[in-house]
């Protein structure tokens, strides 16, 4: 406390010191008078002996305080007063800084949430995802035999838990309003692995997770509050799930966060002795202490060989089991795009710094006489530089506070519009929040930018010629060619950086337009999709499912305005399951199977409803049911790849060959009866993959039972007009035809189409904002430089006009200077863009990184903007009055 008291009550302490000094001088004066000196001489001698009282007071205060801190406080107060005297300059500088720091804060807040924040689980660094590595990449879905094998890897793995990734949904029945909710099947270790806490009850026991175990359920905090009003006595009661009673054994705490939100959890109850190789769930584990990723993968490679010998053809000869950090798996392919966007937004900050540096240089040029006068009166150059740096730091810190607010509001608005499918952001970006890391980032870039754009005027002040500056007349002293050249370099840099950003945003805009123009292979308009979960014991065979599909289709077609309806186990553009196959009678080649393809089970009206063209053969009919021979339809991509020189309609396909007896996929070969057009099942930016379709009515019972817990069935309804106006009658018809089954995830195919391009739209929107910001800042920079140049050259322009120069000559001279800088910046920017845009290759679709349109139109746009920014001061220059200009000096 004593340290801080040294800086308090300075006025009172200084007044006391002044009185003490005055008493010393008075005592000496009295002594001089006693020696016979006159009053005036006695006073003069006393003051000469004591010295300058002000100097003494300053020296005493210097010893009593911390000098550098005192100087810093004085510099801050002076800088604040100086900035208050120029509100226009201060406001513009603050807005430029806020824009630069705001966009950086917005992007960094997303990067921080997705890439930097640790997972919200205990010891997240030891959590891994179990995968299977292929030469083409990784596969993260798992079968029960693989899970069983991993459970025995106790030397490297501490805990293992299996869980749904998505899931078919579960019907919460009982009561007047059945509801489809998100239920996740998990194994017993799931809650302990992810550190779930319970506000009531407990997790599953090993007995409850055993085959034929009891029906038990754990509720989420949200469902507990929403559906049951936070009933404290909920544990021990039963709920109806898919028409069967389940005992509630626990309620998880509110802070339990997972990437795929769930309403409740039920145990998987796996039979670990099965040979069923169906891949339909994910597995996470925790590494034992001291075990690295590399050590675990080396051990799992040995386990892969053992598994390959135990179950032949289960995994390929070039495949190996492995682990990857869970956070890396969750982030997926978003790291590189986010880092590129962060680099792009750094260019906006550099442009902002150059802009503010130009403003400060212009301001410093007008204050050179002030600096010279202060230096002549005893102020050191370092003191002047320190005060200029204080001004720039005040600007940057104040701008950063405004930028932090703008960035946070901006990212909330952006994420509410579209999060581009980014992981870990929560619903509408709910997990993006201000935290210490974000605040430190903003503080760091504030200080760095303050020093960056404050150095230029400080160095300029350091080089001031005191005598020359003081001898100059007028207020426009010291404009110097060196200062003008440096400001020109800054403007050229702004233009070059802005051009790189605008070219990048143009490439992404063209990518988005190209994606929008891609034919998905079906008619997406006026089509409504609804998910219906057919889980539970009622739908363990194909017959009741086929009956509901038939009844529902007929009832939907009876609704006025409904043109057609179909059902499938997946939707185009959202991906499909993969399935291996053999062609009967054809050699398999080097691999265990003839090939693999995407796989859909569909109702007979599927192709007609989505208007997928039949190219050869026939469509499915109502007669393709369980009593008929098995049939299959393939798409054109599959026909071209596997039948390049033969007719697939003459062949039969064995789906999932080698499936053991009792496997869900074990069935007889199917005859190829038709070839349909390709659809973009993996997204608009992916080429159509080989795809095969089978009738839902011909699905094996085991596969129907598996699908009932893995995926929902999707109703696809084509209407004569806007499908959203048919939601109520369609949902009511489906409830009636299915004896009360609810539907969920109601979307139009247009919405699904839009969601498919959300990542590209997100990237395009961000980089377009950055490009527009850079373009605006570059225009401000050009305008500021040329306006300042015209102001400083008022006398010169007046002399030129007095000697006969025409207004057009003056205008063209100013325009020529501005456009020369613009052309230099454009040339540098084009060269830089050719090199930098190659990093955008992974963002682009059907657009080259050297796209001619982007590299021709964008420079023309920037040149046009620069021309307008230069034209304003050029026209102002033509209105200079020669007599007024000559009298101004």
């Amino acid at each position: 406390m004593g340290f801080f008291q040294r800086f308090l009550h300075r006025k009172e302490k200084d007044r006391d010191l002044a009185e003490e000094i005055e008493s010393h001088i008075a005592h000496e004066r009295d002594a001089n008078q006693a020696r016979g000196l006159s009053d005036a001489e006695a006073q003069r001698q006393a003051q000469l002996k004591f010295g300058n009282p002000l100097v003494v007071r300053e020296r005493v205060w210097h010893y009593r305080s911390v000098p550098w801190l005192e100087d810093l406080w004085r510099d801050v107060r002076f800088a604040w007063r100086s900035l208050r005297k120029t509100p226009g300059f201060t406001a513009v500088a603050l807005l430029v800084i806020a824009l630069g720091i705001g966009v950086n804060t917005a992007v960094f807040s997303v990067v921080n949430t997705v890439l930097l924040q640790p997972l919200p689980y205990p010891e997240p660094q030891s959590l891994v995802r179990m995968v299977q590595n292929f030469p083409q990449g990784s596969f993260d879905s798992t079968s029960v035999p693989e899970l069983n094998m991993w459970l025995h890897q106790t030397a490297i793995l501490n805990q293992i838990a299996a869980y749904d990734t998505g899931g078919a949904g579960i019907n919460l029945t009982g009561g007047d309003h059945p509801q489809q909710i998100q239920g996740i099947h998990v194994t017993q270790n799931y809650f302990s692995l992810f550190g779930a806490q319970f506000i009531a009850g407990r997790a599953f026991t090993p007995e409850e997770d055993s085959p034929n175990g009891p029906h038990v359920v754990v509720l989420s905090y949200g469902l507990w509050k929403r559906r049951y009003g936070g009933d404290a006595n909920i544990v021990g009661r039963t709920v109806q799930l898919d028409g069967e009673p389940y005992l509630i054994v626990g309620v998880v705490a509110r802070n339990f966060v997972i990437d795929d939100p769930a309403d409740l959890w039920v145990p998987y109850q796996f039979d670990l002795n099965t040979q069923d190789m169906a891949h339909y769930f994910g597995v996470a584990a925790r590494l034992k202490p001291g075990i690295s990723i590399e050590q675990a993968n080396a051990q799992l490679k040995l386990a892969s060989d053992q598994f390959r010998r135990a179950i032949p053809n289960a995994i390929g000869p070039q495949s190996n089991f492995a682990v990857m950090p869970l956070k890396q798996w969750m982030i997926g392919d978003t790291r590189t795009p986010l880092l590129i966007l962060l680099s792009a937004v750094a260019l906006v900050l550099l442009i902002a710094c150059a802009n503010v540096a130009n403003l400060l240089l212009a301001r410093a040029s007008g204050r050179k006489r002030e600096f010279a006068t202060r230096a002549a009166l005893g102020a050191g150059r370092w003191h002047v530089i320190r005060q200029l740096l204080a001004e720039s730091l005040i600007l940057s810190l104040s701008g950063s506070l405004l930028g932090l607010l703008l960035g946070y509001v901006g990212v909330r608005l952006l994420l509410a519009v579209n999060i581009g499918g980014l992981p870990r952001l929560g619903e509408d970006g709910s997990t993006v929040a201000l935290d210490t890391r974000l605040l430190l980032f903003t503080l760091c870039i504030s200080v760095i930018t303050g020093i960056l754009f404050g150095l230029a005027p400080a160095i300029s002040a350091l080089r001031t010629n005191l005598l020359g500056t003081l001898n100059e007349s007028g207020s426009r002293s010291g404009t110097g060619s060196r200062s003008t050249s440096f400001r020109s370099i800054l403007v050229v840099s702004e233009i070059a950086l802005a051009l790189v950003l605008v070219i990048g945003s143009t490439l992404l805009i063209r990518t988005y337009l190209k994606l929008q123009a891609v034919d998905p292979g079906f008619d997406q308009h006026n089509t409504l999709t609804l998910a219906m979960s057919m889980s539970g014991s009622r739908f363990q065979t194909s017959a009741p499912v086929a009956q509901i599909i038939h009844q529902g289709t007929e009832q939907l077609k009876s609704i006025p305005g409904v043109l057609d309806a179909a059902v499938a186990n997946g939707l185009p553009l959202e991906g499909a399951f993969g399935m291996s196959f053999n062609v009967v009678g054809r050699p398999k080649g080097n691999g265990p199977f003839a090939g693999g393809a995407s796989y859909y089970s569909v109702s007979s009206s599927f192709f007609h409803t989505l208007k997928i063209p039949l190219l050869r053969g026939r469509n499915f009919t109502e007669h393709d049911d369980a009593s008929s021979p098995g049939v299959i339809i393939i798409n054109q991509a599959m026909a071209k790849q596997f039948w390049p020189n033969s007719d697939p309609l003459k062949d039969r396909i064995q789906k999932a060959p080698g499936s053991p007896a009792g496997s869900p996929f074990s069935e007889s070969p199917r005859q190829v009866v038709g070839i349909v057009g390709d659809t973009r099942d993996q997204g608009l930016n992916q080429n159509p993959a080989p795809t095969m379709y089978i009738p839902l009515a011909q699905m094996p019972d085991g596969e129907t039972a598996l699908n009932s817990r893995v995926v929902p069935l999707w109703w696809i309804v084509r209407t004569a007009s806007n499908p959203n106006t048919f939601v109520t009658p369609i949902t009511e018809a489906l409830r009636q035809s299915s004896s009360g089954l609810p539907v969920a995830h109601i979307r139009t195919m247009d919405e699904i189409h839009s969601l498919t391009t959300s990542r590209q739209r997100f990237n395009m929107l961000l980089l377009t904002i950055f490009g527009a910001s850079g373009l605006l800042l570059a225009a401000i920079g050009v305008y500021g430089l040329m306006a300042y140049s015209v102001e400083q050259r008022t006398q010169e322009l007046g002399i030129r006009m007095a000697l006969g120069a025409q207004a057009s000559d003056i205008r063209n001279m100013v325009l020529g200077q501005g456009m020369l800088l613009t052309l230099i910046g454009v040339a540098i920017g084009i060269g830089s863009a050719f090199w930098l845009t190659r990093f955008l290759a992974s963002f682009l679709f059907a657009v080259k990184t050297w796209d001619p349109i982007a590299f021709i139109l964008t420079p023309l746009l920037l040149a046009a903007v620069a021309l307008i920014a230069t034209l304003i001061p050029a026209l102002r220059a033509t209105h200079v009055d020669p007599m007024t200009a000559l009298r101004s000096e």
Side-chain angles (χ1 to χ4, degrees):
M1 189 65 184
F3 175 82
F4 294 103
Q5 286 181 344
R6 299 165 68 180
F7 305 99
L8 301 177
H9 312 297
R10 174 170 181 175
K11 290 184 178 180
E12 292 82 350
K13 294 178 179 179
D14 190 58
R15 185 171 57 250
D16 294 341
L17 180 60
E19 293 175 356
E20 184 178 352
I21 291 173
E22 185 60 33
S23 67
H24 281 289
I25 294 175
H27 179 76
E28 185 66 24
R29 183 192 61 219
D30 293 341
N32 291 337
Q33 288 175 339
R35 289 196 296 270
L37 296 179
S38 66
D39 292 347
E41 183 63 19
Q43 180 69 24
R44 190 180 75 84
Q45 290 292 336
Q47 288 182 337
L48 286 175
K49 182 177 181 180
F50 190 86
N52 189 331
L54 290 177
V55 173
V56 173
R57 285 159 59 186
E58 285 293 330
R59 188 181 299 118
V60 171
W61 183 255
H62 177 83
Y63 286 114
R64 287 182 176 179
S65 65
V66 179
W68 65 267
L69 196 58
E70 179 74 14
D71 292 340
L72 176 62
W73 178 240
R74 185 185 300 112
D75 291 340
V76 168
R77 286 183 298 165
F78 180 84
W80 178 249
R81 290 196 302 269
S82 178
L83 291 173
R84 286 175 57 190
K85 292 179 181 178
T86 53
F89 160 82
T90 304
V92 172
L94 284 177
L95 287 176
V96 171
I97 296 168
L99 178 61
I101 292 180
V103 292
N104 272 268
T105 299
V107 173
F108 182 80
S109 63
V110 176
V111 173
N112 176 45
T113 302
V114 176
L115 301 183
L116 302 182
Q117 286 183 355
L119 299 179
Y121 311 126
E123 301 180 22
Q125 71 283 353
S126 65
L127 289 173
V128 294
R129 176 80 175 200
M130 310 302 296
V131 298
Q132 187 176 161
N133 286 337
F134 298 86
Q136 299 81 9
S138 296
F139 180 63
D140 58 6
S141 288
T142 304
S143 66
V144 177
E146 292 167 347
L147 171 64
N148 189 33
M149 183 271 296
W150 290 333
L151 287 170
H152 289 85
Q153 304 303 312
T154 55
I156 57 174
L157 302 177
N158 224 0
Q159 290 176 303
I160 297 180
Y163 52 96
D164 287 334
T165 51
I170 293 179
N171 296 316
L172 184 59
T173 52
D176 298 331
H177 301 286
Q179 179 185 3
Q180 186 182 139
I181 59 176
Q182 186 59 46
I184 293 183
H185 294 84
V186 300
T187 54
Q188 178 255 334
N189 279 338
Y190 174 84
F191 296 106
S192 60
L193 178 69
F194 291 111
Q197 297 178 339
F198 285 76
I199 59 174
R202 55 171 175 80
F204 303 132
T205 65
E207 293 74 21
E208 291 167 342
D209 193 27
S210 300
N212 302 316
H215 285 175
V216 290
V217 62
V218 167
L219 303 182
S220 70
Y221 180 88
L223 182 65
W224 175 60
K225 295 291 286 187
R226 184 174 65 250
R227 181 86 178 194
Y228 303 104
D231 184 358
N233 299 315
I234 193 72
V235 173
R237 291 173 52 187
T238 60
V239 294
Q240 294 289 319
L241 301 180
D242 295 320
E244 298 182 5
Y246 277 70
L247 178 68
I248 299 174
V249 298
V251 179
V252 296
R254 185 176 188 174
N255 61 355
F256 182 52
V257 179
I258 55 176
D259 206 40
D260 290 323
D263 294 308
L264 55 80
W265 295 265
V266 293
Y268 254 130
Q269 301 179 340
F270 286 132
D271 178 5
L272 296 178
N273 296 317
T274 183
Q275 295 295 299
D276 177 14
M277 289 301 300
H279 292 74
Y280 57 93
F281 57 89
V283 174
R286 189 180 296 280
L287 295 178
K288 296 195 74 171
I291 300 296
S292 66
I293 296 289
E294 293 74 18
Q295 291 172 323
N297 284 338
Q299 179 64 35
L300 287 173
K301 186 175 183 181
L302 299 176
S304 303
D305 297 332
Q306 298 173 359
F307 188 80
R308 203 176 284 112
R309 290 191 295 268
I311 306 179
N313 297 329
I315 59 174
Q318 295 181 311
S319 302
N320 288 298
F321 298 127
V323 297
M324 70 167 57
L326 184 61
K327 182 178 177 180
Q328 178 184 336
W329 173 81
M330 293 174 68
I331 292 171
D333 60 353
T334 60
R335 178 183 296 274
T336 299
L338 283 177
L339 293 180
I340 290 177
L341 289 174
L342 191 61
S343 301
V345 81
L347 298 183
V348 178
L349 186 59
L350 286 177
I351 297 173
C353 286
N355 225 314
V356 178
N358 248 329
L359 291 172
L360 289 173
L361 273 174
R363 187 166 182 264
S365 296
R367 298 172 65 191
K368 282 191 174 181
R369 287 179 62 86
E370 172 198 336
F371 299 150
T373 302
R374 290 169 60 192
L377 293 175
R381 289 188 174 183
W382 167 243
H383 185 73
V384 175
I385 292 172
R386 196 176 64 209
Q387 289 186 341
L388 289 174
L389 287 176
E391 288 183 16
S392 64
L393 286 174
I394 288 177
L395 282 175
S396 65
L397 291 173
S398 301
S400 70
L401 291 176
L402 181 58
L404 184 64
L405 177 62
L406 292 176
Y408 186 73
V409 172
V411 79
R412 303 305 310 175
L413 293 175
L414 183 65
L415 293 176
V417 173
N418 180 13
I419 63 173
L422 295 174
R424 305 192 64 198
L425 295 183
E427 186 176 356
D428 295 332
S430 58
T431 61
V432 179
L434 292 175
D435 63 2
T436 304
R437 191 180 288 107
L438 181 59
L439 295 175
L440 286 176
F441 170 81
T442 305
L443 177 62
C444 288
I445 63 172
S446 302
V447 174
I448 292 172
T449 52
I451 294 174
L452 279 178
F453 60 66
L455 279 177
I459 294 174
S460 176
L462 182 64
R463 292 172 173 171
T464 300
N465 185 325
L466 300 184
L467 183 60
T469 302
L470 290 173
N471 286 334
E472 289 176 351
S473 61
S475 62
R476 295 177 179 85
S477 61
T479 57
S481 61
R482 178 181 292 169
S483 175
T484 303
S485 298
F486 186 71
R487 297 190 67 217
S488 299
I489 292 173
L490 289 177
V491 169
V492 168
S493 302
E494 289 183 57
I495 294 171
L497 293 173
L499 184 62
V500 171
L501 286 173
V502 178
I503 286 178
S505 63
T506 303
L507 291 174
L508 293 186
I509 291 172
R510 286 189 38 77
T511 289
Y512 182 71
L513 294 177
K514 290 280 188 180
L515 283 172
Q516 293 296 101
V518 170
D519 180 7
F522 61 93
D523 186 357
Q524 73 212 37
H525 305 300
N526 292 339
T527 306
L528 191 70
T529 66
L530 311 91
M532 178 178 284
S533 176
M534 294 190 179
S535 55
S537 58
R538 178 183 169 191
F539 302 109
Q540 296 302 295
T541 59
S542 298
V545 175
Q547 182 180 6
I548 285 181
I549 292 173
H550 175 75
Q551 294 172 351
T553 303
E554 292 302 316
Q555 194 148 350
L556 287 173
K557 288 181 179 180
S558 68
I559 299 175
V562 171
L563 303 180
D564 212 338
V567 177
N569 67 344
L571 295 173
L573 299 178
E574 292 201 325
F577 287 109
M579 186 73 70
S580 59
F581 68 90
N582 282 337
V583 180
V584 176
R586 179 188 296 183
K588 293 182 293 186
N590 298 327
F593 313 113
S598 297
Y599 165 67
Y600 287 98
S601 50
V602 300
S603 65
S604 58
S605 55
F606 175 79
F607 302 109
H608 184 263
T609 301
L610 285 176
K611 298 185 179 181
I612 299 173
L614 176 68
L615 305 180
R616 290 184 59 199
R618 69 171 178 87
N619 273 322
F620 296 140
T621 70
E622 291 288 343
H623 301 294
D624 293 318
D625 55 20
S627 63
S628 304
V631 294
I632 193 168
I633 290 177
I634 64 174
N635 70 342
Q636 188 176 24
M638 186 169 176
K640 287 182 176 179
Q641 181 173 339
F642 295 102
W643 286 270
N645 302 309
S646 58
D647 186 2
L649 298 181
K650 296 179 181 180
D651 284 330
R652 292 185 301 156
I653 289 178
Q654 175 66 61
K655 182 170 63 70
S659 298
S663 168
F665 305 106
S666 177
E667 62 176 21
S668 302
R670 293 176 176 270
Q671 178 65 47
V672 180
V673 297
I675 303 173
V676 296
D678 296 331
T679 58
R680 303 264 178 167
D681 297 329
Q682 306 300 324
L684 294 174
N685 60 343
Q686 300 292 325
N687 290 326
T691 306
M692 47 191 179
Y693 306 86
I694 69 167
L696 271 165
Q698 288 189 345
M699 284 182 62
D701 289 342
E703 190 173 347
T704 297
L706 175 63
N707 282 351
S708 71
R709 66 191 301 180
V710 176
V711 293
L713 286 182
W714 288 94
W715 286 92
I716 306 167
V717 185
R718 179 167 295 281
T719 59
S721 57
N722 183 0
N724 288 310
T725 61
F726 291 83
V727 170
T728 300
I730 287 175
T731 55
E732 184 59 31
L734 289 177
R735 281 198 183 95
Q736 291 179 6
S737 62
S738 63
S739 301
L741 290 180
V743 293
H745 308 296
I746 302 173
R747 300 171 296 172
T748 65
M749 282 303 302
D750 284 323
E751 292 171 344
I752 295 173
H753 182 277
S754 177
L755 186 63
T756 303
T757 58
S758 62
R759 180 71 62 84
Q760 289 80 11
R761 188 165 61 251
F762 181 78
N763 294 336
M764 176 199 70
L765 182 59
L766 276 182
L767 207 59
T768 300
I769 292 173
F770 303 158
S773 301
L775 190 62
L776 175 62
L777 291 174
I780 293 174
V782 173
Y783 169 79
L785 177 64
M786 300 316 301
Y788 176 75
S789 176
V790 168
E791 180 186 356
Q792 295 298 315
R793 298 173 64 186
T794 299
Q795 186 181 32
E796 174 197 339
L797 297 177
I799 293 174
R800 287 176 180 270
M801 297 183 72
L803 293 177
Q806 299 297 315
S808 59
D809 298 329
I810 300 297
R811 182 196 64 215
N812 292 338
M813 180 185 70
V814 176
L815 282 175
Q817 292 172 348
M819 294 312 295
L820 176 62
L821 295 178
T822 300
L823 292 177
I824 295 173
V826 166
I828 296 173
I830 290 176
S832 302
F834 266 114
W835 181 73
L836 289 172
T837 51
R838 62 193 178 96
F839 295 105
L840 290 177
S842 61
F843 286 67
L844 306 181
F845 172 77
V847 176
K848 302 292 185 183
T849 56
W850 44 267
D851 180 64
I853 294 179
F855 277 85
I856 292 174
L857 293 183
T858 300
L860 291 177
L861 171 65
L862 192 145
V865 172
L867 178 62
I868 295 173
T870 307
L871 185 61
I872 298 173
L875 293 176
R876 186 182 302 159
T878 62
H879 293 87
V880 172
D881 183 358
M883 296 306 297
T884 302
L886 292 174
R887 284 197 301 266
S888 65
E889 296 296 335

